[in-house]
Amino acid sequence: MKKTYYLFNPGRMGRKDNTLKFTPVDEDGKEGQPKYIPVEGVSDLYCFGALDANSALYNFLGKEQIAVHFFDYYEHYTGSFMPKDYLLAGKMQIEQTKHYSNKTKRLTIAQKLVEGAAFNILKNLRYYQSRGKDLNGIIEVIESYCTSVFTTTDIDMLMGIEGNIRQVYYESFDIILNDFAMNGRTKQPPKNEVNALISFGNMMCYTLCLGQIYHTQLNPTISFLHEPGFRRYSLALDLAEIFKPILVDRTIFKVLNKKEIQARDFDVQVNSVVLKDAARKTFVRAFEERLNETIKHRTLNRSVSYKHLVKLECYKLTKHLLNMEEYKPFKSWW
């Protein structure tokens, strides 16, 4: 089974037969022990350190359908190398464009996306409410906002409702977390440890969704909730809204409340906070564990991983765009 590889150290990568050879390089230019990765076992690469590679390598990665995602020092997603779109189909592109161009059809999909995100947010809150956290007031406010989702008449109004839900939801972090305070959402740059983890985790979820979209006939640049052109792959932002609560936020609560990541694992600067290498590795490991967890799928009647659920979400949206079935967003049932 193919899997994701994370490159935290700066270094040089090249091809050796059908193997990827990664040689770490320290600040003084001294090379470390090379590591070899069989290419048939790689789904994509996440690069958090400087990667030295030539066009021959990227040609090889492109032929093997391996994407490479890049992050800067501040954990910001900076871009991706994506292989040639090998599954794009003309009919799918036309239908996706039609649904975006039609105000009613676009709004219907966008409302479903917000519905799914809000449901999973509430699922998180009720989970911690049942474990002694006083979240009833926050739950009631979000439930009241949810009643307005399907009464919205345009995308801007819907985005306003979604923003209100998210803002109230973030207030719960100070209750759920034991030793850390969020004190409101801040980004670019994040001002404290919790915000640093949210920004990092959200980018992880975004690139996960982008990778799964790539393996379907969907065009990642044509979105419905977020405006196309705001980000290059805006459809990944749409799908990430559904999965951030159950993948990113639950991982944050776990690593902080179980003290897997502590205050010493952050680099606190004057106006920003970033994760140290050890914290990145810990979070990525916990995030991967979450992706590989399996649950019994009610419709398929078999166990599927959370990572596979993201791909299934892409397939459901594809069927909706082709008028095969109504799109129903994933709603967590654990």
Side-chain angles (χ1 to χ4, degrees):
M1 179 181 294
K2 292 188 175 184
K3 65 178 184 178
T4 299
Y5 283 82
Y6 300 89
L7 306 177
F8 292 97
N9 298 322
R12 183 172 58 257
M13 179 170 283
R15 173 185 179 181
K16 186 173 177 62
D17 299 324
N18 280 329
T19 300
L20 297 177
K21 178 184 177 182
F22 178 73
T23 305
V25 180
D26 64 18
E27 296 178 353
D28 298 323
K30 184 178 180 181
E31 295 185 356
Q33 184 68 30
K35 298 180 180 179
Y36 297 90
I37 308 171
V39 71
E40 63 270 13
V42 181
S43 63
D44 47 14
L45 299 170
Y46 282 61
C47 297
F48 298 101
L51 181 66
D52 183 9
N54 57 29
S55 60
L57 175 70
Y58 286 109
N59 285 333
F60 178 56
L61 294 175
K63 291 177 182 178
E64 297 295 331
Q65 307 298 330
I66 297 174
V68 187
H69 308 291
F70 298 95
F71 296 78
D72 66 15
Y73 172 78
Y74 296 99
E75 290 101 35
H76 297 148
Y77 168 79
T78 56
S80 296
F81 163 76
M82 300 297 294
K84 182 179 179 181
D85 296 315
Y86 67 107
L87 289 178
L88 283 184
K91 180 177 176 59
M92 183 72 251
Q93 180 110 346
I94 291 170
E95 293 302 325
Q96 192 171 346
T97 304
K98 283 182 178 179
H99 278 74
Y100 166 76
S101 301
N102 184 297
K103 178 181 178 181
T104 301
K105 290 183 177 181
R106 179 187 177 186
L107 184 61
T108 297
I109 296 174
Q111 288 171 334
K112 292 286 188 178
L113 293 167
V114 173
E115 177 194 23
F119 183 94
N120 293 329
I121 283 172
L122 287 169
K123 197 71 174 180
N124 270 0
L125 295 174
R126 294 190 181 107
Y127 174 86
Y128 285 98
Q129 171 81 5
S130 69
R131 281 155 179 76
K133 303 292 185 178
D134 185 11
L135 299 167
N136 193 56
I138 292 176
I139 291 173
E140 290 179 352
V141 173
I142 292 179
E143 286 178 334
S144 68
Y145 281 129
C146 289
T147 61
S148 302
V149 168
F150 287 99
T151 63
T152 54
T153 56
D154 57 48
I155 296 297
D156 288 341
M157 186 183 300
L158 178 63
M159 289 291 283
I161 296 295
E162 189 273 337
N164 289 335
I165 291 173
R166 186 72 58 177
Q167 182 177 3
V168 175
Y169 172 54
Y170 281 142
E171 293 176 8
S172 72
F173 280 47
D174 290 341
I175 301 173
I176 294 172
L177 295 172
N178 297 329
D179 301 319
F180 289 86
M182 181 177 176
N183 296 322
R185 181 74 173 109
T186 58
K187 49 188 175 180
Q188 296 181 349
K191 297 296 177 64
N192 58 39
E193 297 89 346
V194 178
N195 276 286
L197 280 172
I198 292 173
S199 294
F200 183 63
N202 286 352
M203 288 299 96
M204 294 289 292
C205 189
Y206 166 78
T207 50
L208 166 69
C209 292
L210 174 59
Q212 297 305 310
I213 290 171
Y214 173 76
H215 293 293
T216 70
Q217 293 182 349
L218 292 170
N219 187 317
T221 66
I222 303 174
S223 53
F224 305 98
L225 179 61
H226 296 85
E227 197 64 41
F230 177 71
R231 293 256 183 109
R232 184 179 179 187
Y233 302 118
S234 48
L235 184 60
L237 291 173
D238 283 3
L239 294 181
E241 293 297 330
I242 296 174
F243 291 98
K244 285 189 295 188
I246 56 176
L247 297 180
V248 178
D249 300 340
R250 287 297 296 272
T251 300
I252 292 173
F253 300 150
K254 173 181 179 290
V255 298
L256 292 182
N257 282 347
K258 291 190 174 183
K259 301 183 184 300
E260 295 175 14
I261 294 179
Q262 301 183 43
R264 64 173 179 268
D265 295 314
F266 296 89
D267 183 6
V268 180
Q269 303 175 1
V270 176
N271 291 315
S272 65
V273 175
V274 296
L275 283 71
K276 294 181 180 178
D277 286 345
R280 293 181 193 175
K281 293 176 182 178
T282 299
F283 184 87
V284 166
R285 182 168 57 251
F287 187 74
E288 276 289 312
E289 289 173 356
R290 182 66 173 166
L291 292 182
N292 291 324
E293 284 183 27
T294 59
I295 58 175
K296 187 69 172 293
H297 196 285
R298 290 177 172 177
T299 304
L300 300 178
N301 197 31
R302 62 181 175 86
S303 294
V304 298
S305 67
Y306 280 104
K307 185 174 184 178
H308 189 63
L309 283 172
V310 179
K311 182 178 288 187
L312 292 178
E313 200 70 15
C314 296
Y315 290 148
K316 287 191 296 181
L317 183 56
T318 297
K319 290 181 179 180
H320 176 87
L321 296 174
L322 294 175
N323 300 310
M324 297 172 63
E325 63 180 45
E326 180 186 0
Y327 173 59
K328 296 179 180 179
F330 172 70
K331 297 179 179 180
S332 180
W333 50 80
W334 42 258

